[in-house]
Every structure is written in structure tokens, then in C-alpha cells.
Amino acid sequence: MEVSAIDFKITSPVLILSAGAFLLLMNEVTAKSSKIRHGITALTLVAAILMLFCVRGSFEIGTTAFGGLVYGDPFTFLVSMIILIGSLTAYILGARSLEKEGISSIGEYYSLFLMSIAGAIVLISARELILLFVGLEIMSIALYTMCALNLWSSRSSEAGLKYFLLGSFSSAIFLYGISLLYGLTGSLFIPEIAGLLITDGAQSNIVLYAALGFILTGFGFKIGLVPFHFWIPDVYQGAPTAVTAFMACVIKAAAVSVALRGMWVLFGEPNIFANWTDLIWILSVLTMTLGNLIALRQRSVKRMLAYSSIAHAGYMFVAFLAPNSGGGPAVMFYLVAYMIMTFGAFGVVMAVSDSAPAGTEGDHITRFNGLGFKNPVLGVFMTIFIFSLAGLPPGLAGFLGKFYLFSAAVKANYIGLVIIAVINSAISCYYYLRVLVAMYFTESENDSTVTVNIPMFGALTACAVAALFLGMFPSQLHELSIAATSSFGFVVP
């Protein structure tokens, strides 16, 4: 296999991230400088974003790299950019929070952080199933350790152990699904498998549907679909808040994106597609309903956002049933909107938690009492993020995101599913607005002030502006999403 310049252009972000992770480890065994540590992390993320932007012309429909192992299409470019910008946001928001929560191995954390991002990009760009699995494991193994890095917290250790055990089990199931597909088709390349399933008349083979079930289980675990969601609340609450925000936004975006392409390309043949739509319908309803109902009972805002993320996964899977009605662009638009509003909400939670006295539950709902008066700017930011997550007023990204999702499903004639989703959105308003009641209508019982540093304030401002901007001017991102998902080349009814 000859290596060309296009191969390095398409994979340049992964190479930059890997080099940055190596330099961070070298710093830890030599200088151990905090400034160098943060400088390497920030420069690596910025360099990866700039490099990806500079080589954007190489990402065209049908382009591959390294002998067809890696996709180099517009979808890969868009999702890679979303992952990298989201990761930079996670770094800025979480820099102070990590030190406040007592993470002593900061250098090792950032090295794992960069490797997890590299694994996520490999995952979403893989055109071959073994490479896809390798990307999944690079991303996941780094995350297992990041969740447990707060060595003085039993919750953090529990979160890391639970995620490791359940994640390893789901990876084994996913790998078994890959082996069944290989045994059925004799190929590991995603487009070739899709073509063989059409030409060989494998649609009636029960092995195919067993493979579909195992692969969907692997995707469902990473995304947090019911009934594969049980790890999310404990892991999200026990892990450092910076890790939780990263997982809820960046990792979920990577998992949803690879599931979208995987399910539509691998199992998009009309007869196969028709046999898994009912399953997706059921999973979507269970996920959004259970996530919202359990979120109603939460007093921890961090845990509430964990169950909220489960509900949002259910909303996104509504559009998986509408590939010919704008479902792909709707999912991509909603992913960006979801990341913006979720990063913003977690950023405010970090600020409030960091100001809490030692030994107290910093993310409890009572910590938000009077926040709108103690720190009016944070109160306004949280109001924007909460309204956007609830999908309430026109003019915010969350509202338009749900509009695109539900419109695509209605066009595909899934009206009953959309009605259930709208009812669930109404239910979610109760626990979202409870945060606003605490901020503006409940007196604070403590005199502690909530402060943010300049980088965090800048990131929160960017998230708030982006939520407003996408709500008022959605066309450019939506058009990019249409161009990206049109490069799939899937076959659907």
C-alpha cells in the first residue's frame, strides 16, 4: 500500500493529537511545568483545528485514505471539526475545575484527554470495522482512566470501575457483531459489506439480524439508549465534572455520528431497513420517556443533566427513521445545538460547584438558590441554556434542533412517535425550569459568591452567543449538514 500526501492530510488531526499526548507525557517526566502542560494541550487542540480547516479541500465525496481504511468525505470533516471544537471548549471550561476537585495527575489527564479525542476521530472516520473497533477502544480506555483520576474520591473510583466493566462487556458484544458480519460477507469494509448484503440476498439470514442486534447494542451503550443507559447516571456524577461534560458532549457526538453512518450504510438495504425501524421506534420512546421521568426526581443538577442527556439521545434517534426526509441533517444540527447548550449548562455547574465549601455537594439544586442575583451574568447564561435544552422559545438552537428532528419524522410518517416526543419535551420543562425557580425565586441560604475566570467566562459567552445565533440563523449549519450526510451513499427505501 503506497502512502500519499492525501493520506496524511486527512489523518493530520489524529497525528497532531497523538504528538501532543506524547509531548505531555515527556513533560511529566522532565520539566513537570504546569505552564508547559497547559500550553501543549491548548496548542495541540488549536493546531489540530487549524490543520483540519486548512486541508478541508481534501475532504470530498468518495475520498479515502490509507488504502480505503479511512473515510475522507465531507461527513468526516464536519464531525471531526465538531469533535475538535467541542474538545477545546471542554478544555477551557474544565481547566480550573480539575484542580478544584483534587485531580493531582493533571499531565496524565490531558495526555489521556488528547488520546481520547484522537480515538473519537479514528472512530468516526473508519471505513473498515476493525479500525472502527480500534478507534472505539482508544477512546474508551482513555475515558475509563479519566473517570477514575480523582484518587481521593470513592465516587470517582466507582465511576471508573463501573464504566470499565460495562464498557468492556459492550465492546465484546460489538466485536462479536463484527465477527458475524465478517463470517456472513467475508469482508470488513463497510461499503463492501453493504453491497454484499444486497447482492447475496442475505436479508433473510438470521445471522445478519443477530449481527445487527449486537452492533446496535454497542452503539446504544456509548450513546446511552435505554436499556443500555444504566451506567450513565453513576458515571456522570462520580467522574470529575470536566470529564462528565466531555463525555456528555464530545463522546456522545462521536457515538451518534458513527451510529448514524453505520446503521444507514451497513443496514440501509430496503428489506433490512424495514426490519429494524420498529426496534428503533421502541428504543427511542423508552429512552426519552425514562430519561425524562427519572430526571424529574433528581436534586443533583449534574445527575439531572445525565438523565437529560439520555432523553436527548432518544430525541436524536427519532430522525434515524427518516433518512430520505432530512433525518441526517436534522441529527447533525441537533448534535451541534445539544453540545452548545450542554457545555454551557455544565460550565455553570462547574462554576457553582467550585465555589461550594469543601465536603458539601456542590451541584445540589440548593446551591443555585439566588444565583440570578448573586451573579446576574451566570444567571442569564444558565437561563439561555436551560430554555434551549427544553426547546421552549423560538430563537434558540434547541428549539430549532427539535423542529428539524420532528419535522423529518413527520415527513417519514412517524406522527405517533413525534407526538410522544413532544409530550416528553413538555415533561422535561418541569425539571429544567426548576433550576430557574431556584436561581430567581428562592433565597440563598449561604453567602458564598460564584466567580468564573476569564477563559471560562469566554467559553460560556461563546456558548450563549452560539445558542442564540443558531436559533436565529440556522441555514448555514443546516446546509453544511445536508452536504455532509449526502456523502453517505446509503441505500434506503
mmCIF file of all heavy atoms in Angstrom, residues 256-286:
data_model
loop_
_atom_site.group_PDB
_atom_site.id
_atom_site.type_symbol
_atom_site.label_atom_id
_atom_site.label_comp_id
_atom_site.label_asym_id
_atom_site.label_seq_id
_atom_site.Cartn_x
_atom_site.Cartn_y
_atom_site.Cartn_z
ATOM 1 N N VAL A 256 -23.003 9.079 18.298
ATOM 2 C CA VAL A 256 -24.205 9.257 17.473
ATOM 3 C C VAL A 256 -23.827 9.323 15.995
ATOM 4 O O VAL A 256 -24.506 8.737 15.135
ATOM 5 C CB VAL A 256 -24.965 10.526 17.896
ATOM 6 C CG1 VAL A 256 -26.068 10.859 16.887
ATOM 7 C CG2 VAL A 256 -25.578 10.343 19.280
ATOM 8 N N SER A 257 -22.733 10.016 15.676
ATOM 9 C CA SER A 257 -22.315 10.161 14.278
ATOM 10 C C SER A 257 -21.930 8.827 13.664
ATOM 11 O O SER A 257 -22.345 8.507 12.541
ATOM 12 C CB SER A 257 -21.139 11.138 14.190
ATOM 13 O OG SER A 257 -21.491 12.410 14.679
ATOM 14 N N VAL A 258 -21.139 8.023 14.386
ATOM 15 C CA VAL A 258 -20.736 6.735 13.821
ATOM 16 C C VAL A 258 -21.918 5.779 13.758
ATOM 17 O O VAL A 258 -22.025 4.966 12.836
ATOM 18 C CB VAL A 258 -19.565 6.128 14.630
ATOM 19 C CG1 VAL A 258 -20.017 5.591 15.980
ATOM 20 C CG2 VAL A 258 -18.890 5.011 13.841
ATOM 21 N N ALA A 259 -22.861 5.894 14.690
ATOM 22 C CA ALA A 259 -24.065 5.064 14.631
ATOM 23 C C ALA A 259 -24.927 5.451 13.437
ATOM 24 O O ALA A 259 -25.499 4.586 12.770
ATOM 25 C CB ALA A 259 -24.863 5.198 15.924
ATOM 26 N N LEU A 260 -25.012 6.753 13.158
ATOM 27 C CA LEU A 260 -25.810 7.225 12.024
ATOM 28 C C LEU A 260 -25.271 6.647 10.720
ATOM 29 O O LEU A 260 -26.018 6.071 9.920
ATOM 30 C CB LEU A 260 -25.792 8.746 11.988
ATOM 31 C CG LEU A 260 -26.686 9.417 10.943
ATOM 32 C CD1 LEU A 260 -28.151 9.244 11.306
ATOM 33 C CD2 LEU A 260 -26.339 10.904 10.824
ATOM 34 N N ARG A 261 -23.973 6.798 10.503
ATOM 35 C CA ARG A 261 -23.396 6.265 9.263
ATOM 36 C C ARG A 261 -23.405 4.746 9.266
ATOM 37 O O ARG A 261 -23.728 4.118 8.260
ATOM 38 C CB ARG A 261 -21.960 6.784 9.075
ATOM 39 C CG ARG A 261 -21.293 6.146 7.875
ATOM 40 C CD ARG A 261 -20.277 7.014 7.169
ATOM 41 N NE ARG A 261 -19.200 7.501 7.992
ATOM 42 C CZ ARG A 261 -18.307 8.397 7.555
ATOM 43 N NH1 ARG A 261 -18.416 8.888 6.338
ATOM 44 N NH2 ARG A 261 -17.344 8.813 8.348
ATOM 45 N N GLY A 262 -23.088 4.141 10.406
ATOM 46 C CA GLY A 262 -23.031 2.683 10.468
ATOM 47 C C GLY A 262 -24.366 2.033 10.182
ATOM 48 O O GLY A 262 -24.466 1.100 9.367
ATOM 49 N N MET A 263 -25.419 2.518 10.829
ATOM 50 C CA MET A 263 -26.734 1.905 10.654
ATOM 51 C C MET A 263 -27.286 2.152 9.261
ATOM 52 O O MET A 263 -27.872 1.264 8.643
ATOM 53 C CB MET A 263 -27.706 2.434 11.707
ATOM 54 C CG MET A 263 -27.356 2.064 13.134
ATOM 55 S SD MET A 263 -27.266 0.290 13.437
ATOM 56 C CE MET A 263 -28.973 -0.184 13.246
ATOM 57 N N TRP A 264 -27.108 3.355 8.724
ATOM 58 C CA TRP A 264 -27.672 3.675 7.412
ATOM 59 C C TRP A 264 -26.886 3.041 6.269
ATOM 60 O O TRP A 264 -27.470 2.674 5.251
ATOM 61 C CB TRP A 264 -27.738 5.185 7.226
ATOM 62 C CG TRP A 264 -28.917 5.805 7.923
ATOM 63 C CD1 TRP A 264 -29.835 5.165 8.713
ATOM 64 C CD2 TRP A 264 -29.296 7.181 7.909
ATOM 65 N NE1 TRP A 264 -30.751 6.054 9.185
ATOM 66 C CE2 TRP A 264 -30.462 7.303 8.711
ATOM 67 C CE3 TRP A 264 -28.773 8.317 7.308
ATOM 68 C CZ2 TRP A 264 -31.106 8.518 8.914
ATOM 69 C CZ3 TRP A 264 -29.412 9.537 7.508
ATOM 70 C CH2 TRP A 264 -30.558 9.633 8.304
ATOM 71 N N VAL A 265 -25.562 2.933 6.407
ATOM 72 C CA VAL A 265 -24.769 2.350 5.321
ATOM 73 C C VAL A 265 -24.759 0.825 5.410
ATOM 74 O O VAL A 265 -25.011 0.138 4.425
ATOM 75 C CB VAL A 265 -23.335 2.916 5.338
ATOM 76 C CG1 VAL A 265 -22.483 2.249 4.265
ATOM 77 C CG2 VAL A 265 -23.361 4.425 5.113
ATOM 78 N N LEU A 266 -24.466 0.294 6.596
ATOM 79 C CA LEU A 266 -24.402 -1.163 6.743
ATOM 80 C C LEU A 266 -25.770 -1.815 6.559
ATOM 81 O O LEU A 266 -25.887 -2.851 5.888
ATOM 82 C CB LEU A 266 -23.863 -1.525 8.129
ATOM 83 C CG LEU A 266 -22.350 -1.509 8.323
ATOM 84 C CD1 LEU A 266 -22.017 -1.735 9.787
ATOM 85 C CD2 LEU A 266 -21.670 -2.556 7.449
ATOM 86 N N PHE A 267 -26.791 -1.223 7.148
ATOM 87 C CA PHE A 267 -28.111 -1.870 7.183
ATOM 88 C C PHE A 267 -29.172 -1.006 6.504
ATOM 89 O O PHE A 267 -30.317 -0.966 6.924
ATOM 90 C CB PHE A 267 -28.504 -2.155 8.637
ATOM 91 C CG PHE A 267 -27.464 -2.912 9.405
ATOM 92 C CD1 PHE A 267 -26.770 -2.312 10.457
ATOM 93 C CD2 PHE A 267 -27.146 -4.217 9.079
ATOM 94 C CE1 PHE A 267 -25.803 -3.009 11.168
ATOM 95 C CE2 PHE A 267 -26.175 -4.923 9.783
ATOM 96 C CZ PHE A 267 -25.505 -4.315 10.824
ATOM 97 N N GLY A 268 -28.764 -0.314 5.426
ATOM 98 C CA GLY A 268 -29.690 0.568 4.738
ATOM 99 C C GLY A 268 -30.444 -0.065 3.592
ATOM 100 O O GLY A 268 -31.286 0.585 2.972
ATOM 101 N N GLU A 269 -30.138 -1.311 3.261
ATOM 102 C CA GLU A 269 -30.873 -2.002 2.194
ATOM 103 C C GLU A 269 -32.358 -2.053 2.556
ATOM 104 O O GLU A 269 -32.701 -2.292 3.713
ATOM 105 C CB GLU A 269 -30.303 -3.414 2.031
ATOM 106 C CG GLU A 269 -30.695 -4.108 0.742
ATOM 107 C CD GLU A 269 -32.067 -4.753 0.825
ATOM 108 O OE1 GLU A 269 -32.475 -5.127 1.940
ATOM 109 O OE2 GLU A 269 -32.724 -4.869 -0.221
ATOM 110 N N PRO A 270 -33.263 -1.793 1.586
ATOM 111 C CA PRO A 270 -34.683 -1.619 1.920
ATOM 112 C C PRO A 270 -35.278 -2.704 2.800
ATOM 113 O O PRO A 270 -35.963 -2.391 3.781
ATOM 114 C CB PRO A 270 -35.352 -1.571 0.541
ATOM 115 C CG PRO A 270 -34.293 -1.024 -0.359
ATOM 116 C CD PRO A 270 -32.997 -1.536 0.165
ATOM 117 N N ASN A 271 -35.031 -3.978 2.477
ATOM 118 C CA ASN A 271 -35.624 -5.053 3.279
ATOM 119 C C ASN A 271 -35.048 -5.109 4.691
ATOM 120 O O ASN A 271 -35.756 -5.397 5.652
ATOM 121 C CB ASN A 271 -35.426 -6.401 2.581
ATOM 122 C CG ASN A 271 -36.214 -6.506 1.292
ATOM 123 O OD1 ASN A 271 -37.316 -5.977 1.195
ATOM 124 N ND2 ASN A 271 -35.642 -7.155 0.289
ATOM 125 N N ILE A 272 -33.754 -4.818 4.809
ATOM 126 C CA ILE A 272 -33.116 -4.822 6.129
ATOM 127 C C ILE A 272 -33.579 -3.611 6.925
ATOM 128 O O ILE A 272 -33.911 -3.712 8.104
ATOM 129 C CB ILE A 272 -31.580 -4.832 5.987
ATOM 130 C CG1 ILE A 272 -31.122 -6.042 5.184
ATOM 131 C CG2 ILE A 272 -30.918 -4.825 7.360
ATOM 132 C CD1 ILE A 272 -29.642 -6.030 4.848
ATOM 133 N N PHE A 273 -33.603 -2.451 6.281
ATOM 134 C CA PHE A 273 -34.021 -1.211 6.938
ATOM 135 C C PHE A 273 -35.416 -1.348 7.540
ATOM 136 O O PHE A 273 -35.670 -0.923 8.668
ATOM 137 C CB PHE A 273 -33.982 -0.065 5.922
ATOM 138 C CG PHE A 273 -34.374 1.274 6.474
ATOM 139 C CD1 PHE A 273 -33.435 2.066 7.101
ATOM 140 C CD2 PHE A 273 -35.672 1.743 6.364
ATOM 141 C CE1 PHE A 273 -33.783 3.311 7.619
ATOM 142 C CE2 PHE A 273 -36.040 2.979 6.876
ATOM 143 C CZ PHE A 273 -35.081 3.765 7.503
ATOM 144 N N ALA A 274 -36.312 -1.961 6.792
ATOM 145 C CA ALA A 274 -37.692 -2.106 7.259
ATOM 146 C C ALA A 274 -37.798 -2.976 8.501
ATOM 147 O O ALA A 274 -38.742 -2.842 9.285
ATOM 148 C CB ALA A 274 -38.554 -2.695 6.141
ATOM 149 N N ASN A 275 -36.804 -3.851 8.718
ATOM 150 C CA ASN A 275 -36.868 -4.777 9.846
ATOM 151 C C ASN A 275 -36.291 -4.207 11.136
ATOM 152 O O ASN A 275 -36.470 -4.812 12.193
ATOM 153 C CB ASN A 275 -36.140 -6.082 9.493
ATOM 154 C CG ASN A 275 -36.953 -6.966 8.572
ATOM 155 O OD1 ASN A 275 -38.156 -7.112 8.746
ATOM 156 N ND2 ASN A 275 -36.309 -7.550 7.581
ATOM 157 N N TRP A 276 -35.572 -3.078 11.063
ATOM 158 C CA TRP A 276 -35.063 -2.525 12.333
ATOM 159 C C TRP A 276 -35.698 -1.187 12.692
ATOM 160 O O TRP A 276 -35.401 -0.617 13.742
ATOM 161 C CB TRP A 276 -33.540 -2.432 12.351
ATOM 162 C CG TRP A 276 -32.852 -1.636 11.290
ATOM 163 C CD1 TRP A 276 -32.344 -2.096 10.122
ATOM 164 C CD2 TRP A 276 -32.523 -0.220 11.316
ATOM 165 N NE1 TRP A 276 -31.743 -1.081 9.404
ATOM 166 C CE2 TRP A 276 -31.830 0.071 10.122
ATOM 167 C CE3 TRP A 276 -32.746 0.796 12.227
ATOM 168 C CZ2 TRP A 276 -31.369 1.342 9.805
ATOM 169 C CZ3 TRP A 276 -32.294 2.075 11.930
ATOM 170 C CH2 TRP A 276 -31.613 2.336 10.735
ATOM 171 N N THR A 277 -36.600 -0.685 11.870
ATOM 172 C CA THR A 277 -37.249 0.586 12.208
ATOM 173 C C THR A 277 -38.143 0.468 13.443
ATOM 174 O O THR A 277 -38.186 1.385 14.270
ATOM 175 C CB THR A 277 -38.076 1.088 11.014
ATOM 176 O OG1 THR A 277 -38.956 0.050 10.577
ATOM 177 C CG2 THR A 277 -37.180 1.498 9.855
ATOM 178 N N ASP A 278 -38.848 -0.649 13.575
ATOM 179 C CA ASP A 278 -39.713 -0.830 14.751
ATOM 180 C C ASP A 278 -38.891 -0.856 16.037
ATOM 181 O O ASP A 278 -39.295 -0.316 17.069
ATOM 182 C CB ASP A 278 -40.525 -2.120 14.627
ATOM 183 C CG ASP A 278 -41.622 -2.015 13.566
ATOM 184 O OD1 ASP A 278 -41.943 -0.884 13.174
ATOM 185 O OD2 ASP A 278 -42.125 -3.060 13.134
ATOM 186 N N LEU A 279 -37.716 -1.500 15.958
ATOM 187 C CA LEU A 279 -36.829 -1.564 17.130
ATOM 188 C C LEU A 279 -36.343 -0.173 17.512
ATOM 189 O O LEU A 279 -36.340 0.195 18.704
ATOM 190 C CB LEU A 279 -35.641 -2.484 16.842
ATOM 191 C CG LEU A 279 -34.592 -2.612 17.946
ATOM 192 C CD1 LEU A 279 -35.212 -3.171 19.225
ATOM 193 C CD2 LEU A 279 -33.437 -3.504 17.483
ATOM 194 N N ILE A 280 -35.956 0.626 16.528
ATOM 195 C CA ILE A 280 -35.511 1.995 16.806
ATOM 196 C C ILE A 280 -36.656 2.818 17.377
ATOM 197 O O ILE A 280 -36.465 3.641 18.290
ATOM 198 C CB ILE A 280 -34.951 2.644 15.523
ATOM 199 C CG1 ILE A 280 -33.680 1.926 15.060
ATOM 200 C CG2 ILE A 280 -34.664 4.129 15.749
ATOM 201 C CD1 ILE A 280 -32.524 2.023 16.034
ATOM 202 N N TRP A 281 -37.865 2.628 16.872
ATOM 203 C CA TRP A 281 -39.043 3.332 17.379
ATOM 204 C C TRP A 281 -39.220 3.060 18.866
ATOM 205 O O TRP A 281 -39.405 3.982 19.666
ATOM 206 C CB TRP A 281 -40.272 2.858 16.600
ATOM 207 C CG TRP A 281 -41.502 3.690 16.710
ATOM 208 C CD1 TRP A 281 -41.957 4.604 15.809
ATOM 209 C CD2 TRP A 281 -42.471 3.678 17.786
ATOM 210 N NE1 TRP A 281 -43.136 5.169 16.243
ATOM 211 C CE2 TRP A 281 -43.480 4.632 17.452
ATOM 212 C CE3 TRP A 281 -42.595 2.988 18.976
ATOM 213 C CZ2 TRP A 281 -44.575 4.875 18.274
ATOM 214 C CZ3 TRP A 281 -43.680 3.239 19.808
ATOM 215 C CH2 TRP A 281 -44.659 4.164 19.456
ATOM 216 N N ILE A 282 -39.133 1.779 19.241
ATOM 217 C CA ILE A 282 -39.311 1.394 20.649
ATOM 218 C C ILE A 282 -38.185 1.955 21.511
ATOM 219 O O ILE A 282 -38.426 2.514 22.598
ATOM 220 C CB ILE A 282 -39.378 -0.147 20.775
ATOM 221 C CG1 ILE A 282 -40.650 -0.668 20.081
ATOM 222 C CG2 ILE A 282 -39.356 -0.579 22.238
ATOM 223 C CD1 ILE A 282 -40.675 -2.180 19.916
ATOM 224 N N LEU A 283 -36.931 1.821 21.042
ATOM 225 C CA LEU A 283 -35.786 2.319 21.815
ATOM 226 C C LEU A 283 -35.873 3.833 22.011
ATOM 227 O O LEU A 283 -35.559 4.344 23.091
ATOM 228 C CB LEU A 283 -34.481 1.956 21.108
ATOM 229 C CG LEU A 283 -34.068 0.478 21.108
ATOM 230 C CD1 LEU A 283 -32.793 0.285 20.298
ATOM 231 C CD2 LEU A 283 -33.874 -0.042 22.524
ATOM 232 N N SER A 284 -36.288 4.533 20.984
ATOM 233 C CA SER A 284 -36.409 5.983 21.079
ATOM 234 C C SER A 284 -37.443 6.392 22.119
ATOM 235 O O SER A 284 -37.186 7.264 22.963
ATOM 236 C CB SER A 284 -36.780 6.557 19.706
ATOM 237 O OG SER A 284 -36.924 7.958 19.764
ATOM 238 N N VAL A 285 -38.606 5.739 22.100
ATOM 239 C CA VAL A 285 -39.664 6.064 23.063
ATOM 240 C C VAL A 285 -39.221 5.744 24.487
ATOM 241 O O VAL A 285 -39.389 6.549 25.412
ATOM 242 C CB VAL A 285 -40.958 5.301 22.717
ATOM 243 C CG1 VAL A 285 -41.979 5.433 23.847
ATOM 244 C CG2 VAL A 285 -41.553 5.821 21.415
ATOM 245 N N LEU A 286 -38.639 4.566 24.689
ATOM 246 C CA LEU A 286 -38.181 4.173 26.028
ATOM 247 C C LEU A 286 -37.106 5.131 26.536
ATOM 248 O O LEU A 286 -37.104 5.519 27.716
ATOM 249 C CB LEU A 286 -37.633 2.745 25.999
ATOM 250 C CG LEU A 286 -38.646 1.609 25.826
ATOM 251 C CD1 LEU A 286 -37.920 0.274 25.711
ATOM 252 C CD2 LEU A 286 -39.629 1.573 26.993
#
